């Protein structure tokens, strides 16, 4: 016998799959439930901190456009990694500011170069910390470009792609010989990954992986980095070898495919925030390959500057930024926030 006063659901009056049966706020109202159902999570082990080392003693030179970051001499660099984060991060990415520059990239290739010495210091101070080295020539060349510069028949100076490959390969081998756990070529020269893979294998470093800056754009977001690495081009720009921000997304996928064919183990998209569409496409197209995204200096500096004015909450904005990069598909994030995340999470 039916009830005298049936409930709406007993009368078939509630449409399943719609309000009020479905209330998505049920999964948001309680913070414990929100945490339980989160899909995108950040962990310090997912983060790599870029750091800058230079010649000298007892130097901790502030980088004005990147508050909280410094150029370290080797002694202060050792103290920093030993005391502040040791092996709790996914790793550090090293950039060198050499004592002198020339037009041959000599110090980039030397086993006594600033990066090579920094790797040895880091491995002694924190043996379990992942050390990744940037493999490029811009910091070491007087002209500030990422390869060998030659004068074309038309009188213009151009970066000679093929002449640069041998130098990049020798630089990578020198980093590996010094103890680098991974090398990261960033010059955007065609064939650089293949040249480096061959050189590493021939030098008995077949176990050293390559994290390729596979889709690196000629971005306006690199300004603070160029101050930090003292690598601003002295003429022209890098648009002839870095990717056009307005170029086709398919070109980025082709760059990634070529680097993987040449032996890249990890692929990277740089910058991250303005190119989250590229990160997502790369994650979907190459799900079998670890994907990194570089949250670059300009992205960091904008948040820092706005926070300094009191316009935004620095911590909340940084976490939201990194979460967005993670959600787009990056399993590794290179970010200047890594040290802060360690502090905030602890």
């Amino acid at each position: 016998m039916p009830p005298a006063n049936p409930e709406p659901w007993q009368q078939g009056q509630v449409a399943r799959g719609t309000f009020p049966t479905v209330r998505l706020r049920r999964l948001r109202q309680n913070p414990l439930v929100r945490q339980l159902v989160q899909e995108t999570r950040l962990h310090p082990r997912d983060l790599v901190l870029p750091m800058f080392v230079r010649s000298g003693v007892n130097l901790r030179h502030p980088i004005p456009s990147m508050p909280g970051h410094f150029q370290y001499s080797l002694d202060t660099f050792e103290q920093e990694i030993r005391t502040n984060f040791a092996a709790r991060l996914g790793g550090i990415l090293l950039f060198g500011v050499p004592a002198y520059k020339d037009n041959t990239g000599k110090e980039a290739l030397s086993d006594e170069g600033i990066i090579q010495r920094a790797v040895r210091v880091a491995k002694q101070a924190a043996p379990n910390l992942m050390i990744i080295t940037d493999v490029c020539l811009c910091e070491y060349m007087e002209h500030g470009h990422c390869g060998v510069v030659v004068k074309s028949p038309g009188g213009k100076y151009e970066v000679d792609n093929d002449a640069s490959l041998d130098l990049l390969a020798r630089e990578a081998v020198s980093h590996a010989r010094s103890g680098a756990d991974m090398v990261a070529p960033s010059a955007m020269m065609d064939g650089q990954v293949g040249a480096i893979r061959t050189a590493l294998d021939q030098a008995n470093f077949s176990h050293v992986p390559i994290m390729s800056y596979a889709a690196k754009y000629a971005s306006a977001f690199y300004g603070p980095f160029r101050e930090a690495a003292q690598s601003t081009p002295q003429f022209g720009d890098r648009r002839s070898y870095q990717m056009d921000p307005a170029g086709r997304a398919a070109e980025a996928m082709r760059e990634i495919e070529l680097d993987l064919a040449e032996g890249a183990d990890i692929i990277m998209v740089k910058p991250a925030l303005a190119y989250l569409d590229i990160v997502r496409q790369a994650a979907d197209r190459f799900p079998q390959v670890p994907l990194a995204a570089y949250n670059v200096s300009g992205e960091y500096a904008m948040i820092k500057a706005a926070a300094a004015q009191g316009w935004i909450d620095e911590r909340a904005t940084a976490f939201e930024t990194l979460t967005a990069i993670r959600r787009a598909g990056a399993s590794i994030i290179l970010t200047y926030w890594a040290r802060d995340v360690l502090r905030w999470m602890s």
Side-chain angles (χ1 to χ4, degrees), residues 1-11 13:
M1 189 172 176
N5 298 301
E7 297 292 337
W9 63 268
Q10 293 174 313
Q11 301 179 51
Q13 296 176 6

Side-chain angles (χ1 to χ4, degrees), residues 8-339:
W9 63 268
Q10 293 174 313
Q11 301 179 51
Q13 296 176 6
V14 176
R16 298 299 177 181
T18 63
F19 175 85
T21 305
V22 176
R23 295 177 181 266
L24 296 183
R25 285 185 58 192
R26 292 191 193 106
L27 299 180
R28 303 173 190 155
Q29 204 157 359
N30 186 328
L32 297 177
V33 176
R34 286 200 304 270
Q35 182 175 328
L36 178 67
V37 300
Q38 283 177 348
E39 180 184 50
T40 305
R41 300 175 188 270
L42 287 173
H43 190 280
R45 286 288 191 183
D46 302 327
L47 307 180
V48 173
L49 175 70
M51 297 186 72
F52 302 89
V53 289
R54 61 176 298 165
S55 298
V57 178
N58 197 29
L59 295 178
R60 195 171 181 265
H61 184 67
I63 301 168
S65 58
M66 296 173 61
H69 285 269
F70 305 86
Q71 293 176 339
Y72 296 95
S73 57
L74 294 181
D75 53 338
T76 58
F77 167 67
E78 177 183 4
Q79 181 181 10
E80 178 71 12
I81 64 172
R82 189 186 293 274
T83 60
N84 284 350
F85 50 85
R88 291 179 291 164
L89 286 175
I92 60 174
L93 174 64
L94 288 180
F95 296 93
V97 181
Y100 68 93
K101 302 171 185 274
D102 58 23
N103 287 322
T104 66
K106 181 179 179 180
E107 188 163 342
L109 314 179
S110 170
D111 285 353
E112 294 305 314
I114 184 61
I115 286 292
Q116 289 83 345
R117 288 185 289 150
V119 170
R120 294 194 290 269
V121 165
K123 296 310 291 185
Q124 183 173 8
N128 294 321
L129 178 64
M130 167 75 75
I131 309 298
I132 308 168
T133 58
D134 180 79
V135 178
C136 197
L137 298 170
C138 57
E139 301 104 316
Y140 304 93
M141 296 288 203
E142 288 179 344
H143 48 66
H145 280 282
C146 300
V148 176
V149 168
V150 296
K151 200 169 187 178
S152 70
K156 289 186 176 181
Y157 287 99
E158 298 178 350
V159 175
D160 188 323
N161 186 99
D162 295 5
S164 304
L165 298 182
D166 178 63
L167 297 183
L168 293 168
R170 290 164 58 191
E171 180 183 8
V173 170
S174 180
H175 291 180
R177 191 161 51 235
S178 298
D181 297 298
M182 183 183 300
V183 296
S186 64
M188 285 300 285
M189 297 293 114
D190 291 336
Q192 65 180 12
V193 172
I196 289 170
R197 183 73 274 158
T198 298
L200 288 172
D201 292 352
Q202 290 178 346
N204 295 320
F205 293 113
S206 59
H207 61 283
V208 174
I210 297 173
M211 178 166 63
S212 169
Y213 289 67
K216 179 181 178 182
Y217 285 84
S219 173
F221 286 100
Y222 300 154
F225 170 87
R226 291 175 180 174
E227 177 187 14
Q230 298 177 6
S231 62
T232 303
Q234 298 305 299
F235 57 86
D237 54 41
R238 296 177 177 143
R239 292 181 179 273
S240 68
Y241 44 100
Q242 294 179 1
M243 295 180 62
D244 181 4
R248 298 171 65 243
E251 182 184 359
M253 299 305 106
R254 192 176 182 195
E255 286 278 8
I256 293 171
E257 286 177 346
L258 289 170
D259 281 6
L260 290 173
E262 291 176 21
D265 302 284
I266 300 172
I267 54 177
M268 184 201 301
V269 175
K270 180 183 180 183
L273 281 183
Y275 300 88
L276 289 180
D277 59 323
I278 304 299
V279 175
R280 181 71 263 167
Q281 288 187 46
D284 290 342
R285 182 137 175 202
F286 308 100
Q288 73 278 22
V289 181
L291 173 62
Y294 200 142
N295 179 211
V296 298
S297 60
E299 296 167 343
Y300 171 85
M302 288 192 303
I303 293 175
K304 276 288 190 181
Q309 294 293 323
W311 296 336
I312 59 175
D313 182 299
E314 177 182 350
R315 174 175 171 169
T317 309
F319 271 118
E320 185 174 343
T321 294
L322 297 174
T323 300
I325 298 169
R326 192 81 169 83
R327 188 177 60 245
S331 55
I332 303 164
I333 304 175
L334 300 96
T335 178
Y336 299 95
W337 298 109
R339 185 192 290 107

